Amino acid sequence: MTDCTVLVLAAGNGSRISNSLPKQYILLNGKAVLRRTIEIFLIHPAITAVQVVISKEHKKFYSKAIEGLDLPAPIYGGKTRQQSALKGLVHLQEKQPKYVLIHDAARPFVDHKLIDRVLNRLATGKAAIPGIRLTDTLKRVHSEHRSVVFTMDRKDCWCIQTPQGFHYQEILAAHADFVNEEVSDDAAIAERAGLEVAVVEGNEQNFKITTDNDLEHANKLLSNELSETRIGSGFDVHSFCEGDHLYLCGVKINHDRALKGHSDADVAIHALTDALLGGLGLGDIGMHFPSEEDQWKNANSKIFLEKTKHLLFERGAKVGNIDITIICETPKINPHRKRMTSSLAEILDIDTNRINIKATTTEKLGFLGRGEGIAAQASATIYLT
Ligand code: CTP
Ligand code: MG
């Protein structure tokens, strides 16, 4: 089969999900839901073109999500899914593809075999849609009382998914004819137009991300995508100067001296930042936060860690564990250890049980033994996709 365009509908607001980003732009392991969906179609050999329909308000999110992909300019959708589909179909009039597949951007787990089943069936029919047989019992429930009205017969009931395949001209005409009838999928329009709609096997995994639970499920499905484990290590030293407090792991500690540095000299956070950047293969703290730049003067070092967290997120990386050793004669670290652990866990948004903080002295030997400063070393494992 040739000459098949996919319309990816991505103009919704994802209002049933609590995330502030529309669901199609939420990152799953560092990659936007919409990008995941598009990439699957882009590499399918029978797909000629992928046309995305977005909301005008999401232009910025869109550009970021599809960076580097070879796609025609997106077109703007309407208030409802149905309107977005129609706008997409009308736009394709220039190209007049023979076949069109209409797909929800919010189904990023669609697979090539499923697409093949739809396309193969479409080659001998008018319309083909994927579905899965209903296995749970189906009951009509009273909307107010939440009580069962009656049990329905689930025999021959299927849950319908996308992509839904049609002959382009036919579905365009049907959509235009039934513009005033509200339907929840494109096949319903084809049915109204009297086209026979064939159902092929869908796939449980091809679910639509609709609720927070779906998003959690999507993240779980992708957890085995985190396939590479990396180790990073970091080391830093700051000397003492006059003062009455210092910062370690973002925690203020009263002391008879302070630590000297361009920023707040939080030696432990600096070592940890280096360890995480090392694991990502992104150089060191000096490259990202140059000490010549005034913006980092007296900076709260938490900023360095927060930015590094963002870099981890962008690359779809997750922290495995962190192990920090603080080396000094004074101050005593033990009384502050719990607060330090919580502080790092909060900044990095990870569980405290992934963080270990140790302290040691150098038995009065060397510059640390003479109490001239504090050193810290950190190791971190990170999982990359
Ligand atoms: N969609 C669209 N234009 C709209 C509404 C929805 O293109 N006006 C798209 C969505 O982006 C989604 C697909 O249609 O990929 C399925 O719709 P749905 O799951 O309802 O998504 P949203 O409308 O974004 O979510 P919600 O209904 O929870 O607000
Ligand atoms: Mg909707």
Side-chain angles (χ1 to χ4, degrees), residues 9-16 23 78-81 84 104-106 208:
L9 302 182
N13 287 318
S15 55
R16 283 169 283 181
K23 61 188 179 185
K79 283 208 177 76
T80 63
R81 184 191 180 284
S84 296
D104 295 329
K208 180 161 69 70

Side-chain angles (χ1 to χ4, degrees), residues 24-71:
Q24 60 274 35
Y25 297 109
I26 294 174
L27 301 185
L28 298 175
N29 275 356
K31 202 188 272 193
V33 168
L34 174 61
R35 187 184 184 100
R36 288 182 177 275
T37 305
I38 293 171
E39 281 182 351
I40 294 164
F41 288 101
L42 278 181
I43 58 168
H44 191 289
I47 304 296
T48 336
V50 176
Q51 176 63 58
V52 188
V53 182
I54 67 165
S55 159
K56 208 172 189 174
E57 273 90 67
H58 302 159
K59 259 170 34 182
K60 266 199 193 146
F61 303 141
Y62 177 75
S63 312
K64 185 133 200 268
I66 57 110
E67 219 172 296
L69 296 183
D70 189 14
L71 290 169

Side-chain angles (χ1 to χ4, degrees), residues 1 4 6 40-41 43-47 101 103 110-124 128-130 162-165 199-203 206:
M1 179 178 293
C4 178
V6 182
I40 294 164
F41 288 101
I43 58 168
H44 191 289
I47 304 296
L101 295 185
H103 185 66
V110 60
D111 61 279
H112 280 196
K113 284 194 177 143
L114 186 153
I115 298 169
D116 288 341
R117 287 194 290 276
V118 173
L119 290 176
N120 289 339
R121 192 65 186 82
L122 189 55
T124 56
I129 62 176
T162 71
Q164 302 192 343
V199 179
V200 300
E201 281 298 326
N203 188 341
N206 182 31

